Amino acid sequence: MQHAYQVRVAPRAADDVRLVVSELVSNAARHAPGPGRLDLQVADRGRTVRITVRDTSPVIPQPWPANPRRPGGHGLEIVKALGRRLTVQQTGEGKQITAELALHQSRTSPGPDRYYVHRTPDATSG
């Protein structure tokens, strides 16, 4: 059973959530051959939002080194910079990517320890 709740957030946090949703959904549409799914979940008593996008591609996205001269490929950089945590997990149908964002706290600087990849026993990732 699903419930709908209203959570008040600052305009900047709402903008961050919209941008992360846009990046994850557009990447799934661009790189996955089939249907996808978007789930938004408020957690930690309204302090965190979890954005999960599922798609049919088993390919694990790899973050690229920062390069302001590169014309594209900044999606994971953006998501990592805005979020607390980014998790990628392979599923039987493809993969799911979950980004967690704080709704009421200042942003933290991106760190290499906030990108998590979960591997399935029969799959590999780099």
Side-chain angles (χ1 to χ4, degrees), residues 18-60:
R18 280 191 285 273
L19 180 55
V20 169
V21 167
S22 174
E23 289 294 334
L24 293 178
V25 169
S26 63
N27 283 343
R30 183 178 297 121
H31 299 291
R37 180 177 171 164
L38 168 66
D39 292 310
L40 293 132
Q41 178 186 27
V42 176
D44 302 327
R45 297 180 186 220
R47 293 187 301 259
T48 302
V49 64
R50 289 188 189 113
I51 302 161
T52 301
V53 174
R54 292 174 181 87
D55 67 43
T56 56
S57 172
V59 177
I60 300 295

Side-chain angles (χ1 to χ4, degrees), residues 12-21 23 49 51 75-85 99-103 105-110 114:
R12 183 174 178 166
D15 289 343
D16 289 352
V17 170
R18 280 191 285 273
L19 180 55
V20 169
V21 167
E23 289 294 334
V49 64
I51 302 161
L76 282 179
E77 285 179 64
I78 292 168
V79 173
K80 282 176 49 181
L82 295 177
R84 290 182 171 171
R85 180 180 171 112
E100 295 182 13
L101 281 73
L103 292 176
Q105 298 175 353
S106 62
R107 296 178 184 157
T108 59
S109 60
R114 294 192 355 243

Side-chain angles (χ1 to χ4, degrees), residues 4-8:
Y5 298 97
Q6 290 185 353
V7 177
R8 293 183 187 263

